[in-house]
Amino acid sequence: RPLKMSKLSDEFPNCLAGGWDMDGRGPSVWDTFYHTGDVACNSYQLWEEYLKCIQQLGLTHYRLSISWSRLLPDRTTNHVNPKGVAYYNKVIDDLIACAVTPMITLYHMDLPQALQDLGRWSSTEIADIFESYARFCFKIFGDRVKLWITLNEPYVCAKLGHEDGTFAPGIKDPGISVYLAGHNMLRAYTKAWHTYNNYFRPLQAGQVSLALNSDWAEPLDAGSPKHAAATERYKDFTLDWFACPLFCTGDYPESMRSRIESRSLDLGYKQGSRLPHFSKDEPCPLGTADFFALNYYTSRKVKDLNGGSKKNELSFVCDQGAEVVVDPSWPICGVHWLAVVPDGLRKLLKYIKDTYTSLPIYITENGFSQMGPVQIEDTDHSQFYQDTLQEVGKAISQDRLNVKGYFARSLLDNFEWNDGYSVRFGLFHVDFSAPDLKRTIYGSGREYAAVISKHRSQTKPKSI
């Protein structure tokens, strides 16, 4: 059965979306953390070229991120940047005029530097500040935008940004800030969802969620009880960390909480619970999602780490007690961590249905990367999409999952976080050495467009 909708996502650190300091935009944490260049695909100044690529593929939906700093340079609605509002109004209006439904992401790990200076995601106050930002966007754009992603990959923002320090804002505070950041992002999301539900949904009739990333995980040795238990812990500390409060209990997985508290006691940590509790004085996160948004890239094998050399250190990994490895039989594309495992996506989709919810599922990110010499006829990339979409089709027809759509990542080659320009996910090649950033469609882009055309001819468009 063909997918119900054809979609594409284009994600990037907004500090490199072009015009990083133009037209009143304020700095974000990525401007501060990784300021080695100012322009990736330059969507700010070359939006018309973006739109041509979107139309060439025949997309029905397009996911893009709003830069908080471009709209509200000092982080609050006390200073609204009219040029930023005009830019996003134009983008949204142009998409709709081309019969392309926008899915808007409010936060893609690019916190305004002004908020970082006030205490980052570790501060309690940030939840109310984010709610105010979300309310502003719902009010300005919600008459046309019906699909909202409030936060993209809170796990990555918390773990890589506040534990490992490899992503902005570069905080290395093992075993502490990671949980504070994750908790405050969930509080922020919950407040934003309730605001939309109470004040905007009756008139706008849109849908709101957040995008959770997850690998599919299996024990390294299927016959090992230790590896099986480690796999469950790995799930608890990744997808379940954020999905359980939203879809199951309104709180974190009990096994996650008990393990963190037990290790705190063993290590003599006496400064309270490292995994915060949700306050009864604030809205409950349970039931605050109109759909399940999933970012999937790869799969992992999991083994027990309880006997690891750093077991006496305070850290997220030691709390988790699991180590992930790549099965040597899986091919690697581009970056070292990205093993190609299309059937892992189907398994993960079924796990989500069986564990969490029967709500509609959007695959909001999935992609294949290239490195090395440019290959316009990228046959491996084309095969990846063919194999992946077949697995999604099986999830729909055989597993009876309500998959509403699939967003490929991404439209164009881009600046890939701390891998820079060397990794290419695009369906269009971008010549970063050319002044006009020339775009050339890859073979995979042509085949992706053919898939969309075929499915459109077989199904009638459905409103959301």
Side-chain angles (χ1 to χ4, degrees):
R1 190 172 107 197
L3 285 174
K4 296 180 181 178
M5 299 178 189
S6 52
K7 306 177 166 52
L8 193 123
S9 70
D10 184 50
E11 311 298 343
F12 45 81
N14 278 306
C15 62
L16 291 160
W20 75 275
D21 61 349
M22 289 180 60
D23 295 340
R25 183 188 180 278
S28 78
V29 291
W30 274 93
D31 292 308
T32 304
F33 180 72
Y34 205 87
H35 200 104
T36 62
D38 296 333
V39 176
C41 297
N42 202 353
S43 63
Y44 186 68
Q45 294 177 291
L46 298 177
W47 165 244
E48 301 292 346
E49 299 302 315
Y50 260 79
L51 193 60
K52 290 177 184 177
C53 295
I54 291 169
Q55 292 175 292
Q56 187 173 347
L57 291 178
L59 302 181
T60 64
H61 290 63
Y62 181 71
R63 181 184 173 205
L64 68 149
S65 305
I66 283 180
S67 169
W68 189 344
S69 297
R70 191 177 298 285
L71 287 181
L72 309 175
D74 72 347
R75 82 187 184 279
T76 73
T77 53
N78 293 333
H79 176 201
V80 176
N81 179 12
K83 291 186 177 180
V85 173
Y87 169 69
Y88 289 114
N89 271 328
K90 175 175 172 52
V91 168
I92 292 166
D93 289 343
D94 285 352
L95 288 170
I96 293 173
C98 294
V100 178
T101 299
M103 175 184 272
I104 299 295
T105 300
L106 293 179
Y107 180 76
H108 201 104
M109 296 184 274
D110 58 335
L111 192 71
Q113 186 61 44
L115 277 177
Q116 180 66 21
D117 295 341
L118 286 178
R120 60 187 186 269
W121 280 109
S122 298
S123 67
T124 302
E125 295 79 9
I126 197 169
D128 288 325
I129 297 172
F130 179 84
E131 183 276 332
S132 178
Y133 161 58
R135 181 190 293 263
F136 174 81
C137 291
F138 296 151
K139 179 179 179 180
I140 300 299
F141 308 120
D143 59 327
R144 290 150 293 157
V145 176
K146 305 305 176 185
L147 288 172
W148 295 96
I149 298 292
T150 50
L151 301 169
N152 185 73
E153 299 185 353
Y155 171 89
V156 171
C157 184
K159 174 67 164 54
L160 274 63
H162 296 78
E163 170 88 4
D164 302 340
T166 54
F167 269 30
I171 303 299
K172 295 182 180 180
D173 184 25
I176 306 294
S177 289
V178 60
Y179 301 121
L180 286 173
H183 184 71
N184 286 326
M185 281 187 276
L186 272 178
R187 291 179 55 241
Y189 164 75
T190 300
K191 288 173 180 285
W193 187 91
H194 279 284
T195 291
Y196 188 87
N197 192 56
N198 293 335
Y199 300 105
F200 296 95
R201 193 189 304 277
L203 292 177
Q204 297 179 356
Q207 298 179 322
V208 180
S209 190
L210 76 172
L212 301 180
N213 66 289
S214 181
D215 304 332
W216 173 245
E218 297 177 347
L220 179 62
D221 178 357
S224 168
K226 284 188 175 182
H227 292 339
T231 302
E232 293 307 308
R233 291 196 300 273
Y234 178 78
K235 292 176 181 177
D236 285 343
F237 278 75
T238 52
L239 184 59
D240 295 1
W241 178 11
F242 296 95
C244 193
L246 299 179
F247 298 100
C248 295
T249 65
D251 198 3
Y252 300 113
E254 179 55 37
S255 57
M256 180 182 182
R257 184 176 296 284
S258 62
R259 185 172 174 88
I260 292 172
E261 292 183 354
S262 175
R263 292 199 72 252
S264 294
L265 183 64
D266 291 345
L267 296 174
Y269 183 83
K270 300 179 180 180
Q271 300 177 41
S273 176
R274 290 187 289 129
L275 183 64
H277 292 267
F278 292 101
S279 171
K280 294 181 180 179
D281 296 329
E282 293 188 339
C284 178
L286 183 62
T288 59
D290 301 319
F291 54 91
F292 198 108
L294 172 68
N295 294 355
Y296 169 82
Y297 285 95
T298 190
S299 294
R300 289 290 185 263
K301 298 289 187 178
V302 185
K303 63 180 181 179
D304 179 67
L305 192 65
N306 274 331
S309 61
K310 297 182 179 181
K311 65 179 181 179
N312 294 324
E313 293 183 6
L314 204 64
S315 73
F316 179 90
V317 170
C318 291
D319 290 339
Q320 187 181 55
E323 181 180 353
V324 294
V325 297
V326 175
D327 189 313
S329 68
W330 295 337
I332 303 296
C333 71
V335 286
H336 65 90
W337 57 267
L338 188 43
V340 180
V341 195
D343 67 336
L345 175 55
R346 180 186 175 187
K347 294 175 182 177
L348 184 57
L349 290 170
K350 190 173 186 304
Y351 174 79
I352 289 169
K353 176 189 175 185
D354 294 343
T355 307
Y356 298 123
T357 182
S358 59
L359 285 173
I361 299 173
Y362 288 87
I363 302 163
T364 40
E365 279 188 39
N366 178 246
F368 181 99
S369 70
Q370 299 185 67
M371 293 184 74
V374 174
Q375 298 181 25
I376 296 300
E377 298 304 320
D378 52 344
T379 55
D380 288 346
H381 200 172
S382 298
Q383 187 64 49
F384 165 83
Y385 281 118
Q386 180 180 333
D387 295 343
T388 300
L389 292 174
Q390 285 179 353
E391 293 298 328
V392 176
K394 292 175 185 177
I396 295 171
S397 61
Q398 299 179 28
D399 304 332
R400 303 299 178 186
L401 271 80
N402 185 13
V403 180
K404 293 285 285 185
Y406 171 91
F407 289 77
R409 179 174 183 262
S410 57
L411 180 64
L412 306 174
D413 289 340
N414 215 318
F415 185 91
E416 183 55 31
W417 304 112
N418 50 4
D419 286 313
Y421 301 100
S422 64
V423 177
R424 300 184 297 277
F425 276 91
L427 291 169
F428 285 80
H429 171 63
V430 177
D431 185 353
F432 293 111
S433 65
D436 62 350
L437 299 174
K438 180 182 177 182
R439 285 107 159 102
T440 304
I441 192 168
Y442 285 111
S444 58
R446 294 195 303 271
E447 293 206 14
Y448 194 80
V451 170
I452 293 172
S453 178
K454 177 183 177 181
H455 288 179
R456 272 187 152 178
S457 68
Q458 295 177 354
T459 60
K460 294 181 180 181
K462 296 183 180 181
S463 61
I464 298 174

